[in-house]
Amino acid sequence: MTTVSEIAPDLFRISTFVPDFNLQFNQFLVRDDEPLLFHTGPRAMFAEVRDAVATLLDPAKVKWIGISHLEADECGALREWQQLAPESMAVCSLVGKLVSIDDCMAVRPALGMKDGDVLNTGKYRFQFLHTPHVPHCWEAGLLFEETQRTLLCSDLFHQNGDVEPATHSDVLGRCRQVLVEYQQGPLANYMPYSTLTEPTLHRLAGLQPKTLATMHGSAYIGDGARALRDLATMFKDVLGPK
C-alpha cells in the first residue's frame, strides 16, 4: 500500500512498504510551478507511485526528476516517468549524466549539475551538493531546499520497518541497527566509509537543515545539523577502520 504525507509545506512523502524486505521505499514530490519528483522508485512500483502523485497533481506535469545515484530505487522508473511527462528532465550530478544516466536511463538528456548549482522550481530553490560515495556511488549528489531548509538525503538515515511518515524523535538508533544487521549478511558495506565520509556529513550539517527526507524510513524533523554530526560519529564507529 502506498501512502502520501505532507512533511513540509508543498513537500509530500510517497511511501510504499514492502513486507518481504521490511522496508519502505519513499519518493518526495515538491508541488510547485515546476514540480519535482525526487527518486522514481523501482520500475515495478511505477504505477503505484504515479497514482499517488495523481492525488496531488497531474503526473504528466512533473518537470524535474531528481536522482542521487544510479540504483533501481533512485531511477529505475525514470524512462516510464519521462514517457508519461513529456517535458520532464532528469536532474543528477554532472558525473552521473556523463557516465550513466544519459546513456542507459534517460529518454532525454539529463540536467547535469555541479556542486553549488541551484535549481529553481518556482517558490523553492534547490542547491545541488555533489557528495561522492555519500551515501554511495561516485556520482552521488543531494538536493537542499533553501526556503524550508529540507535536505533530500537519499539513503542517509536508512531505517527498516513500516514506520511513521515523520518524527521529531532521534532516528539514529534505528539507522545503527540497520547497518549492524547489514554488516552481518550479503548487504554488507551498503554504506562505504572513506576519507570523504566525515567531511561530507559535516558539510551537510553546516546547512542546518530542519527536515531530513530519507528514502527508507521516517523523515526527521528537528536539529538536522546535530543529527548529521551524530551520523558521522556512528558511521565511523560501525563502518570505519578497526
Side-chain angles (χ1 to χ4, degrees):
M1 179 180 176
T2 299
T3 61
V4 178
S5 307
E6 189 170 15
I7 61 168
D10 298 314
L11 175 65
F12 297 87
R13 175 186 183 265
I14 298 168
S15 182
T16 306
F17 179 63
V18 180
D20 288 347
F21 300 149
N22 189 32
L23 189 63
Q24 293 173 335
F25 290 82
N26 302 328
Q27 297 78 48
F28 295 94
L29 179 73
V30 179
R31 190 164 57 186
D32 204 352
D33 296 340
E34 297 183 353
L36 164 71
L37 180 69
F38 195 66
H39 317 311
T40 68
R43 186 177 302 161
M45 291 182 185
F46 169 69
E48 293 172 85
V49 176
R50 177 202 62 206
D51 291 350
V53 169
T55 67
L56 302 167
L57 52 83
D58 179 356
K61 300 298 185 183
V62 169
K63 172 63 177 177
W64 304 106
I65 303 171
I67 299 164
S68 169
H69 52 274
L70 184 64
E71 195 173 358
D73 53 5
E74 291 279 348
C75 55
L78 176 59
R79 187 171 296 273
E80 286 77 7
W81 271 105
Q82 290 202 293
Q83 290 169 341
L84 173 65
E87 296 185 5
S88 62
M89 289 183 64
V91 179
C92 60
S93 69
L94 180 60
V95 174
K97 172 184 171 66
L98 294 175
V99 305
S100 299
I101 300 302
D102 278 1
D103 183 72
C104 62
M105 299 301 299
V107 172
R108 292 174 286 281
L111 174 63
M113 300 189 78
K114 301 186 295 295
D115 190 66
D117 283 353
V118 172
L119 175 70
N120 284 289
T121 60
K123 289 190 293 183
Y124 301 111
R125 279 173 50 95
F126 292 86
Q127 180 186 163
F128 180 78
L129 304 151
H130 191 204
T131 59
H133 308 293
V134 179
H136 34 230
C137 298
W138 174 30
E139 72 273 14
L142 304 175
L143 289 175
F144 177 64
E145 200 291 295
E146 298 175 343
T147 306
Q148 300 294 331
R149 309 200 71 78
T150 297
L151 181 65
L152 298 167
C153 58
S154 185
D155 293 306
L156 296 179
F157 297 98
H158 176 140
Q159 309 143 56
N160 282 348
D162 193 12
V163 295
E164 65 273 37
T167 182
H168 291 83
S169 301
D170 182 12
V171 296
L172 205 67
R174 296 178 186 174
C175 180
R176 182 187 182 96
Q177 181 179 0
V178 171
L179 292 182
V180 169
E181 290 177 359
Y182 278 17
Q183 287 302 100
Q184 310 306 312
L187 298 178
N189 303 308
Y190 160 60
M191 294 284 182
Y193 191 86
S194 75
T195 55
L196 297 173
T197 303
E198 186 171 12
T200 298
L201 291 173
H202 280 271
R203 179 191 176 206
L204 296 175
L207 298 170
Q208 298 185 332
K210 295 179 179 178
T211 302
L212 301 171
T214 192
M215 176 185 276
H216 306 294
S218 302
Y220 172 70
I221 300 173
D223 188 346
R226 179 176 179 179
L228 284 157
R229 290 192 297 268
D230 289 347
L231 185 69
T233 300
M234 187 269 280
F235 273 7
K236 185 174 184 179
D237 181 43
V238 176
L239 305 172
K242 302 297 188 281

